[in-house]
């Protein structure tokens, strides 16, 4: 019975599968027939009908105006429909289903259908492939042609012949690293190894070229192993940070005690005043009028109030000299609090700077005011550098490539440097991950020798971790400035109080800026947004205070966190912030995609310099356009050469073995999710293109230009295969943002 039941169930499942297959095949045939009918209708379109269709397309907000002859009417028809061309009503694009086909099942007109916006991150992205087991990976010493000191105890494989047989086939015959520098650091594991691997599996080195070219491309800021060990074991020392944090906690304790005393004194004063008034009233009623004793009592009350207020402020009439002396002591020992309850004083006398909490100026005893001393100072660990003594960075009229998460990697920054970027900055690194010695986070701080002015950006929510992180960076890496991220809008950062969250916590924000400025020998900069909420812009009030706290430069993105990247950047408000920041430098950021945008925004706001983010992702040659004041109608072959340059830099940075090639491919695809948005100048009906404009489906001037304009990430994978060979089996890619592509 059970076998018969199972056979019936399996037969029923097969019948259902056959029915489903037949239904799918029938739907496909219907779709093909519908497309053929549409193609026939399109062929019958007159020039006048095409103009009407183009006018309808151009009427949509946010659509770029493309010349009539370049519009791909076969794809545009899927959105607008040929049958509605002669209608007077404005047709809206039909909503696409998950399969990418227009939804024709509903009887509602397209204009009344709910339009679901593709926003936010793709949180269910495919997982990256796990690295192979150590026993299946070749020992890195043997890869470089060196002897392994662990011998048979090494956890990695030493069987070169076996691994070379199992190695994936080469992707090409020319290794960029070997041809450029005379040596490939990936040795026998290189996927282009046929040009430098001998028959006996030895890595060939051109000694003459290597000795001449090995210093042409140098990457610095690599995490030392001893520092990583100390960070992981929590043995790293932070002397400057400990002094600042100790002074900060001491100042906070004194502030709380002072506030408590003031509250107690105020309550005692109120109680005393009430009892005095009652006594005066009682004596007046007893005497039947105002006598001499009654008239003298109010003066006692006034004197009592004055004495109590003096006691609350720590100053008495009998100890005026002592109060002056105490003031001098506090200015020397840096235990005076500012008006806003900050952990340090902002008072300056002449050219001498008041010491921060936990620091001493080294001049004078506790009983004497601070004095300037002459002679050689050798206690650098005690005396903090004044702002004028720190290294300076000139941001005036400079083009600053903004720190960009994921896509702002070292190879991309090298590409931007070749096209005119003046200042570069590493990707955002989380301070807690840096303090834990995570190699992946420290990799974000690497600097290439071509980056002459380079900074790093860190994010955090607490003064202790941010100050300690700044001290480690100051002591162990080579940077020209350190930037605080106060603009990151993503929930993971914001909910922890970092990024935009610091604008809601001004006290903590102040402690972070002051603490980092205390331990750094390089300028401290801040990148922020106009505010958190659209109806509550706070940047204009915060920026003057940020400079008072110790920052050297502020870069302002003209959007709020709530706004993210929708609508245009508010350059009018940036102009107000420039006036509030005067005479300090303020950089503007937002919507710069051409030299005309750069000229307009700079003249409109009066910013010191420009920070460029998405504009550089869409067209990295924007720096050349701004400097040469022209629209560059770059060809598809020139754009392909830029991609080839990125791939070469990627394999130099991440390696030319299988792991390095696939990492280069992943970052290339992430970049292509922005590059496809570029519309060639020769195709535009009017230049320049705006940052939030998207083109209709169009055909390029050649096949390569058409392929690069595709928003389908399967076409991006084709481009990556043209540069890096075929993708591995079961390869999957999904861009970080939902609005970046369709499949």
């Amino acid at each position: 019975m059970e076998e018969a039941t199972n056979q019936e169930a399996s037969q029923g499942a097969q019948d259902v599968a056959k029915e489903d297959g037949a239904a799918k095949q029938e739907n496909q045939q219907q779709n093909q027939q519908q497309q053929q009918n549409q193609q026939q209708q399109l062929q019958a379109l007159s020039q006048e009908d095409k103009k009407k269709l183009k006018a309808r397309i151009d009427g949509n907000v946010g659509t770029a105006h493309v010349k009539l002859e370049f519009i791909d009417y076969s794809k545009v028809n899927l959105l607008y429909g040929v049958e509605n061309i002669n209608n007077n009503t404005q047709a809206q694009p039909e909503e696409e289903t998950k399969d990418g086909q227009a939804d024709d099942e509903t009887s509602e007109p397209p204009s009344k259908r709910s339009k679901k916006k593709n926003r936010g991150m793709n949180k269910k992205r495919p997982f990256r492939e796990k690295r192979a087991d150590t026993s299946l990976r070749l020992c890195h010493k043997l890869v470089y042609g060196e002897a392994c000191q662990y011998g048979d105890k090494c956890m990695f494989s030493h069987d070169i012949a076996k691994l070379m047989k199992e190695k994936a086939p080469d992707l090409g015959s020319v290794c960029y690293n070997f041809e450029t520098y005379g040596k490939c650091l990936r040795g026998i594991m290189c996927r282009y190894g046929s040009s430098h691997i001998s028959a006996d599996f030895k890595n060939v080195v051109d000694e003459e070229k290597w000795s001449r070219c090995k210093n042409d491309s140098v990457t610095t800021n690599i995490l030392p192993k001893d520092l990583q060990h100390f960070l992981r074991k929590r043995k790293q020392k932070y002397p400057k940070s400990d002094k600042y944090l100790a002074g900060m906690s001491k100042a906070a304790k004194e502030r709380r005690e002072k506030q408590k005393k003031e509250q107690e004194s105020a309550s005692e004063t109120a109680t005393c005043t009430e009892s005095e008034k009652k006594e005066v009233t009682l004596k007046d009623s007893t005497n039947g009028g105002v006598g001499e004793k009654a008239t003298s009592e109010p003066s006692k009350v006034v004197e009592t109030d004055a004495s109590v207020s003096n006691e609350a402020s720590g100053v008495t009439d009998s100890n005026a000299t002592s109060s002056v002396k105490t003031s001098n002591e506090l200015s020397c020992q840096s235990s005076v609090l500012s008006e806003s309850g900050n952990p340090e004083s902002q008072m300056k006398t002449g050219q001498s700077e008041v010491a921060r909490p936990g620091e001493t100026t080294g001049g004078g005893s506790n009983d004497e005011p601070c004095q300037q001393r002459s002679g050689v100072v050798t206690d650098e660990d005690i005396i903090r550098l004044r702002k004028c003594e720190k290294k300076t960075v000139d941001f005036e009229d400079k083009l600053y490539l903004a720190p960009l998460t994921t896509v702002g990697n070292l190879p991309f920054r090298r590409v931007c440097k070749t096209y005119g970027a003046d200042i570069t900055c590493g990707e955002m690194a989380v301070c807690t991950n840096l303090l834990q010695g995570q190699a992946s986070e420290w990799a974000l701080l690497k600097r290439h020798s071509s980056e002459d002015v380079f900074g790093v950006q860190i994010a955090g929510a607490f003064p202790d971790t941010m100050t300690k992180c700044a001290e480690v960076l100051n002591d162990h890496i080579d940077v020209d400035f350190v930037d605080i991220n106060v603009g990151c809008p993503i929930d993971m950062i914001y909910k922890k109080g970092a990024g935009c969250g610091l604008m809601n916590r001004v006290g903590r924000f102040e402690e972070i800026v002051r603490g980092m400025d205390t331990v750094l020998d390089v300028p401290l900069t801040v990148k922020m947004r106009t505010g958190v909420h659209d109806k509550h812009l706070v940047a204009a009030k915060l920026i003057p205070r940020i400079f008072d706290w110790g920052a050297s430069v502020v870069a302002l993105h003209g959007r709020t966190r709530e706004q993210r990247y929708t609508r245009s950047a508010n350059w009018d408000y940036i102009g107000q912030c420039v006036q509030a920041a005067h005479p300090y430098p303020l950089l503007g950021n937002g919507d710069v995609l051409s030299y005309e945008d750069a000229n307009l925004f700079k003249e409109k706001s009066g910013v010191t310099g420009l920070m460029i983010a998405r504009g550089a992702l869409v067209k990295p040659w924007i720096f050349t356009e701004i400097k040469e004041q022209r629209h560059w109608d770059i060809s598809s072959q020139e754009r392909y050469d830029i991609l080839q340059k990125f791939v070469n830099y990627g394999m130099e940075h991440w390696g030319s073995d299988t792991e390095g090639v696939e990492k280069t491919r992943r970052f290339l695809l992430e970049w292509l999710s922005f590059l496809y948005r570029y519309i060639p100048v020769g195709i535009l009906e009017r230049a320049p293109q705006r940052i939030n404009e998207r083109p209709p489906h169009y055909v390029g001037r050649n096949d390569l230009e058409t392929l690069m304009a595709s928003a389908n990430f399967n076409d991006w994978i084709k481009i990556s295969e043209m540069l890096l060979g075929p993708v591995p089996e079961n390869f999957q890619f999904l861009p970080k943002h939902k609005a970046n592509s369709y499949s």
Side-chain angles (χ1 to χ4, degrees), residues 54 58 62-71 593-594 596-597 618-619 621 625 631-634 639 676-696 698-701 705:
K54 183 184 181 303
D58 294 343
T63 302
H65 292 206
V66 174
K67 292 178 181 178
L68 182 67
E69 60 269 25
F70 292 107
I71 295 178
L593 192 60
S594 66
E596 291 185 12
D597 293 336
V618 175
K619 43 191 282 192
W621 55 91
E625 287 189 351
H631 294 300
W632 185 357
D633 189 9
I634 190 169
R639 292 165 65 192
Y676 86 92
R677 301 182 187 181
Y678 170 71
I679 310 172
V681 176
I683 289 178
L684 281 172
E685 197 168 53
R686 55 169 176 78
Q689 174 191 356
R690 302 300 178 190
I691 191 78
N692 286 332
E693 286 183 345
R694 297 291 181 270
Y698 68 91
V699 179
R701 292 167 289 190
E705 195 166 71

Side-chain angles (χ1 to χ4, degrees), residues 308-364:
V308 170
S309 61
N310 286 336
E311 288 176 4
S313 60
V315 179
T316 58
D317 294 337
S318 62
N319 198 16
T321 308
S322 174
S323 66
V324 176
K325 186 175 178 181
T326 306
S327 174
N328 288 331
E329 278 183 11
L330 291 173
S331 64
C332 291
Q333 299 301 324
S334 190
S335 58
V336 170
L337 301 174
S338 61
E339 292 180 359
S340 58
N342 302 330
E344 63 178 314
S345 174
Q346 300 193 26
M347 298 170 55
K348 295 183 179 179
T349 306
Q351 295 181 349
S352 62
E353 190 176 77
V354 178
R356 304 285 175 114
E359 296 180 353
T360 57
T361 57

Side-chain angles (χ1 to χ4, degrees), residues 68-133:
L68 182 67
E69 60 269 25
F70 292 107
I71 295 178
D72 187 354
Y73 291 99
S74 62
K75 293 182 179 178
V76 167
N77 176 48
L78 293 174
L79 299 176
Y80 295 90
V82 178
E83 66 278 0
N84 294 325
I85 290 178
N86 295 317
N87 294 348
N88 293 327
T89 58
Q90 178 75 25
Q92 297 293 330
E94 296 177 359
E95 187 178 3
E96 292 187 351
T97 63
K98 290 183 180 179
D99 297 327
Q101 302 296 330
D103 186 5
D104 296 327
E105 297 178 0
T106 177
S107 59
E108 292 183 357
S111 58
K112 292 186 178 180
R113 297 178 195 172
S114 60
K115 187 176 179 182
K116 185 179 179 181
K117 296 183 179 180
N118 268 342
R119 288 184 181 176
M121 293 181 62
N122 284 314
K123 296 181 179 179
K124 296 183 179 180
R125 304 178 76 200
F127 291 102
R128 303 180 202 170
E129 293 184 4
K130 294 183 179 180
R131 299 181 69 178
D133 186 57

Side-chain angles (χ1 to χ4, degrees), residues 353-417:
E353 190 176 77
V354 178
R356 304 285 175 114
E359 296 180 353
T360 57
T361 57
S365 64
N366 291 341
D367 296 335
E368 298 176 0
C370 296
Q371 297 179 3
Q372 294 182 358
R373 303 290 185 179
S374 61
V376 179
V377 178
T378 58
D379 48 355
E380 294 90 349
D381 58 329
I382 298 177
I383 297 183
R384 186 177 62 88
L385 286 177
R386 293 181 297 170
K387 200 168 185 178
C388 61
E389 297 173 331
K390 290 186 177 182
K391 180 180 179 180
T392 58
V393 177
D394 183 16
F395 287 88
E396 188 170 0
D397 295 328
K398 295 294 190 296
L399 299 178
Y400 179 3
L401 175 64
L404 302 163
T405 306
T406 305
V407 281
N409 46 68
L410 186 143
F412 174 75
R413 299 197 303 269
R414 286 185 66 181
V415 170
C416 292
K417 283 297 294 184

